[in-house]
Amino acid sequence: MSQFEINQKSQCCGGEFDYDAGKKLSEKCIMVPEVIGRNICQTLVECVVPFPEQYPAVEIKDIQKEIRDIIVHVCKNKVLINGILHKNINYKTYEGKSDFYYACQRYDSFYGDVRHVAVNIPFACFIEIPGARPGDDYEIEYADVEDSCEIDILEDPIWQKGAVTQYRKLREKVIVKIDIKVLRNVQITVKPEKHNICP
C-alpha cells in the first residue's frame, strides 16, 4: 500500500496531515493581525504666525499644510497621538505705488514680492479604543487637515496714509484629523480545502 493512499493520516510536528490523491494537505498555524478597534481624533490647532519685521504681508497667496512626525503610543483602552503640523505660507508684500494710465484714465497700483514663512506647530490628541493595550500595533489610515474648515485672519495692521494696508501677523485655525486602527497579532489554525497553489 502506498504511503500516499487516500484517507491515510500521519502525525508530524504535532499537526495532523491528510493525504488526498497524493497531494499532502495539513492544518497550519499562522499569525494574522486582528483589528481591535478603529477611531478618529480631531483637534483644533490655532496659532499666530508673525511675518518678518521688514516684510509685512498685504495678502495671503496660499498656505500649504502637511502632517509630519506622528508619534503614536498605545495604552490601555486609549491611543495617544503627537505630531507636527508643517505650514508653508506664501504671501504678497508691498514695496511701492505706481500710477499708470489707460484710455486717458488714471489707475492706482502697487508692486511687491511674493515671500514665504515656514512654521512647525506641535499638536496632540487622544482617542478611545476599548480593548487596546500596550504592545499592540497600529495603522494610520488617514492624517491630514480639513481644508474645508479653516480660518485665516491677518492681524496687527500697519497704517500708512495713502499706502496699502500691511499686516504683521497671521492668525490661522485648522482642524487636524487622525484616523487610527489598532491591531494585535493572533494565531489561528487553518486547514486548506485544496492543494496550496501559492508560489
Side-chain angles (χ1 to χ4, degrees):
M1 180 181 291
S2 169
Q3 62 175 337
F4 293 109
E5 184 175 349
I6 297 176
N7 295 328
Q8 182 177 350
K9 297 182 179 180
S10 65
Q11 297 290 331
C12 179
C13 301
E16 186 176 67
F17 294 81
D18 294 343
Y19 296 90
D20 184 9
K23 296 176 181 178
K24 186 169 72 171
L25 305 178
S26 64
E27 291 183 348
K28 295 182 179 180
C29 181
I30 64 173
M31 191 78 73
V32 296
E34 177 187 8
V35 178
I36 305 302
R38 179 178 177 178
N39 209 342
I40 296 173
C41 91
Q42 298 184 81
T43 182
L44 175 65
V45 179
E46 179 178 359
C47 65
V48 177
V49 180
F51 298 110
E53 185 177 350
Q54 66 273 33
Y55 301 116
V58 171
E59 178 185 340
I60 300 299
K61 187 174 181 291
D62 61 71
I63 301 177
Q64 300 161 354
K65 296 175 279 291
E66 181 184 1
I67 304 299
R68 297 180 176 179
D69 303 330
I70 297 178
I71 299 173
V72 178
H73 180 72
V74 181
C75 52
K76 186 176 180 181
N77 299 322
K78 290 181 174 62
V79 177
L80 308 180
I81 303 165
N82 291 84
I84 297 292
L85 172 59
H86 175 79
K87 295 183 182 182
N88 189 62
I89 303 165
N90 297 308
Y91 67 97
K92 299 178 182 179
T93 63
Y94 172 82
E95 291 189 20
K97 291 185 62 177
S98 63
D99 299 330
F100 74 95
Y101 293 84
Y102 179 75
C104 299
Q105 188 170 352
R106 177 178 170 274
Y107 293 89
D108 291 333
S109 68
F110 69 92
Y111 57 91
D113 291 333
V114 174
R115 296 186 173 272
H116 80 97
V117 172
V119 293
N120 291 318
I121 305 162
F123 68 88
C125 63
F126 79 95
I127 56 177
E128 295 188 359
I129 298 185
R133 64 192 186 198
D136 286 344
D137 292 328
Y138 65 88
E139 188 174 307
I140 300 174
E141 298 288 317
Y142 177 89
D144 211 342
V145 172
E146 293 285 345
D147 288 331
S148 60
C149 186
E150 60 181 270
I151 299 175
D152 301 319
I153 305 172
L154 288 168
E155 295 183 339
D156 198 1
I158 302 172
W159 300 107
Q160 293 181 358
K161 185 177 180 180
V164 177
T165 303
Q166 303 172 72
Y167 299 88
R168 296 186 180 93
K169 299 175 184 176
L170 170 69
R171 179 180 298 273
E172 190 185 39
K173 302 180 183 182
V174 297
I175 296 175
V176 172
K177 182 178 178 182
I178 310 289
D179 183 354
I180 284 187
K181 183 163 54 179
V182 172
L183 309 169
R184 182 180 305 147
N185 287 332
V186 295
Q187 295 184 104
I188 63 171
T189 301
V190 296
K191 185 174 182 179
E193 295 181 358
K194 58 183 179 180
H195 183 62
N196 185 6
I197 62 173
C198 296

